[in-house]
Amino acid sequence: MSRYPQMLSPLDLGHVVLPNRVLMGSMHTGLEETGDWNRVAEFYAARARGGVALMVTGGMAPNREGGVFPGAAGLFTPEDIANHRRVTDRVHGAGGRIAMQILHAGRYAYGPDCVSASAVKSPISPFAPQELDEAGIEKQISDIVTAAARAREAGYDGVEVMGSEGYFLNQFLVRHVNRRTDRWGGAYENRMRLPVEVVRRVRAAVGPDFIVIYRISLIDLVPDGSTWDEVVQLARAIQAAGASMLNTGIGWHEARVPTIATSVPRAAFTWLTARLRPEVSIPVIASNRINMPEVAEAVLAQGQADMVSMARPFLADPDFVAKAAAGRAAEIAPCIACNQACLDHTFSGKISTCLVTPRAAHETELQIEPAAVPKSIGIVGAGPAGLAAAITAAQRGHRVTLFDRAAQIGGQLTLAREIPGKEEFRGLTDWFATMIGQSGVNLRLNTEATVAELAGFDEVIIATGVTPRDPAIPVEGGQAVSYVDILNGTVTAGPRVAIVGAGGIGFDVAEFLTQRGTSPTLHPADWMREWGVGDPASSPGGLAPAQPEPPARAVTLLQRKPEKPGRRLGKTTGWIHRAALAAKGVRMIGGVNYERITAEGLHITFGAARENPTVIVADTVVLCAGQQSDRSLADQLIAAGRKPHVIGGADVAAELDAKRAIDQGTRLAAGL
Ligand code: NAP
Ligand code: SF4
């Protein structure tokens, strides 16, 4: 019997029976905007082949003013419909089902023509929306309905009407944005008129044998958001208007509470889905931080939802469902919820992919095929770059030996997984271990590879990684240690700490050193208290006063650049790290010169003239001053006449991260 009987059980929607309870949630990959419809079709077809019951596309704009950004894709012309038909045909040919999300961004649309209930600007947009008049509202409804009808014409199995995350329909629901006094504002019956009318008319347009999902916001996490009674009232009205299912949304995009980042506990918000489920008779779908089959199974087995939605996990592994069904769950490439290659790309105008799986959304370009001539390949370094290269090369039929002087695989990942809120990195190193075993790589740990030892290999790949940079600050006493010794537990820091370097690792170390007890990511109630997540039944929008635990240590984080520390962290996650450290009282100082370290602490000055000498009183000074490539073996090989491939941190240390390392390792091995 399967380990996931609930997840793999069918779901009867009346006119159609879904084969399992897994929905691929909507993600904006940017693929549709490339105009390469073969690539779009292959992206979805790969996931259909992988067994997911139903997919929802990235948000399609119903009209120009509702697009998330100028030029956002939508079904505007017969050519658009024909292009989407290529996608649906390919998905159906692969045995899958796909619904199109209709996303009207309202005041989140990045353009001067954006519209909303009232002219209330969002804090995350530079554009104030125009308040719609009666005719304007009718136009928006009509455009959404037309988009649904065109989706049907294009062969989709259904639509998802986006009504959460603070987008257009959600904006009408709350007084926070809806200041109207006509029949679209004021009393809740009026504020919910728009989403209900949209669903009623969409259903009328598409007929009974078509899936209509409505994405409902369960907890807005903004001031003056919906109350729980309002959420239930809306859910019942949406059901009566003809929706087939309710998908659940958590938090507006402008919320100051993280909702999908890796530090959010797994399945942190399914208690709300569970509360909604008995209020309606149509299936409800749980979402947010469900990333593994056992998490999905638990949500379903506890009766919290009828179906689970996972989005990013299908970037990490298109075969998620097929592997779970085949008893190969350990082989599922895990989504670690880092956002580095998906959402951070989207918000930088780049095509989404996945840190763990660089083929995601690049299926037509990055091919991993059997090697024409199998070779023997020696790889030195079992960090992310070496591991990715080893697995890819072995999967292609090469004979791979992977050396590392350490007793375990993972390289820098073994340090990252010690950070509170980065526990998902454990799943990543576990997955690498499974895949190394499964792909037949000859793993030689505790082994210092030498030039002589590497002589017999057809190809040699050097992935020896990085060594911490010594910032060469004169040490005249006191305790100055590398972040490595702090994170691997060799050294315990004193109660007052100064951190030299405010990059990704400086921030991580500050979180590590201020955390008291176990990580709140593993304790949802603690996490909710820390971030001020309340109950929408008692506080509208579900906001409560944040009550962070007092810090374990007094920490000061420093950098030389005269800018706000943390400015260069991840686009969608940097604010979370900055807010987490602010909550722990971490002092952040930029624009410093490091003069010396003494028993008293870290001595600094400011500016080019080295003015204002100051002592940051500290028992321990932790050095997080970046990295340098470890190229010693590569240099020895080159001196001996070999031509090694050098990848990852050994290649370029500056701003190295696991995303670049895995991508480089995979691409190199795909071409050998
Ligand atoms: P980093 O992000 O490049 O930061 C290095 C820090 O050291 C900077 O604050 C830099 O600031 C300082 N520094 C550089 N040279 C120095 C010197 N000679 N003396 C004193 N200070 C010096 O490197 P990292 O923190 O080691 O992180 C390594 C990589 O892992 C980065 O790419 C990072 O993005 C990634 N990472 C990411 C995350 C994440 O959350 N996404 C977490 C951890 C690591 P000044 O030059 O201004 O002093
Ligand atoms: Fe998940 Fe990170 Fe991959 Fe995005 S980049 S899908 S968050 S692992």
Side-chain angles (χ1 to χ4, degrees), residues 45 140 235 237 306 328 493 546 572 647:
Q140 307 311 311
D306 300 280
R328 293 166 47 213
T572 62
I647 61 171

Side-chain angles (χ1 to χ4, degrees), residues 340 422 469-471 473 483 500-506 508 558-561 569-570 573 577 594 624-627 654-657:
Q340 273 178 252
K422 290 201 164 176
R469 177 186 288 124
D470 178 359
I473 305 169
Y483 68 88
V500 170
I505 290 177
D508 276 357
L558 303 107
Q559 73 179 17
R560 297 172 306 174
K561 282 186 282 299
L569 296 175
T573 52
H577 296 296
Y594 305 111
C624 306
Q627 330 278 332
E655 300 194 355
L656 173 78
D657 60 24

